Amino acid sequence: MHWIFLFLAFLIGISNAVQSGVNVQLRESFNNPILAALTSFFVGFIVLLIAFACFNQNPIPSISDIKQVSWTRFMGGVLGAFYVLTVIFIVRNIGPANMICLVVAGQMIAAIAIDHYGLQGFAVHPITLPRIAGAILLVAGVYLILKN
């Protein structure tokens, strides 16, 4: 693995934790959690439009090609909206460390299952004893952090 990819993954974790607080502050400014989530996605949409205009080198699919795409492949937007809106509602009550711990625990359990079965076109990485031990240690860490 190239070190830059590992570093970028680490930065994603940092941005994820910071994003939670920023979105909650937006909620408080608007006094409207759904409008805060919508605004967050709109700003993200603008950033992606700029990135697309500046860096895209791939052909744009036709409307008929897009119509052939299974609806399930568009669920990333739904899941992203679920994440942002849910965070806006819960992070003030449980705190960012507790929230991120639970998010990471859920991600790890889902990722191990996805890897094991090769779901969504990923390569199969069977569940092994070290992976189970890692997941148990992660969940134990979540427990210790949640314990306060």
Side-chain angles (χ1 to χ4, degrees):
M1 261 182 265
H2 199 271
W3 69 270
I4 192 72
F5 296 136
L6 299 175
F7 181 67
L8 287 171
F10 180 74
L11 288 179
I12 290 169
I14 292 171
S15 69
N16 191 262
V18 172
Q19 176 195 28
S20 301
V22 169
N23 282 336
V24 167
Q25 290 173 336
L26 189 61
R27 170 193 179 175
E28 291 170 351
S29 294
F30 289 168
N31 197 29
N32 187 322
I34 297 172
L35 182 59
L38 184 62
T39 302
S40 178
F41 271 88
F42 179 73
V43 171
F45 176 72
I46 297 301
V47 169
L48 290 173
L49 276 178
I50 293 167
F52 182 80
C54 293
F55 303 111
N56 182 57
Q57 297 178 355
N58 298 315
I60 299 172
S62 68
I63 297 296
S64 63
D65 288 338
I66 293 171
K67 287 181 180 179
Q68 300 301 315
V69 176
S70 169
W71 67 270
T72 60
R73 295 195 174 190
F74 294 98
M75 290 300 292
V78 173
L79 295 172
F82 172 74
Y83 175 82
V84 169
L85 191 56
T86 303
V87 165
I88 287 172
F89 276 107
I90 69 170
V91 74
R92 276 279 189 237
N93 295 335
I94 67 173
N98 291 341
M99 189 207 61
I100 292 295
C101 283
L102 291 166
V103 167
V104 169
Q107 287 173 331
M108 187 55 58
I109 291 167
I112 288 174
I114 290 167
D115 273 357
H116 181 74
Y117 294 106
L119 301 175
Q120 299 172 313
F122 287 104
V124 172
H125 298 281
I127 293 176
T128 61
L129 195 53
R131 284 180 152 224
I132 292 171
I136 289 170
L137 288 171
L138 180 68
V139 170
V142 167
Y143 172 77
L144 292 173
I145 291 171
L146 290 174
K147 197 166 167 108
N148 286 329

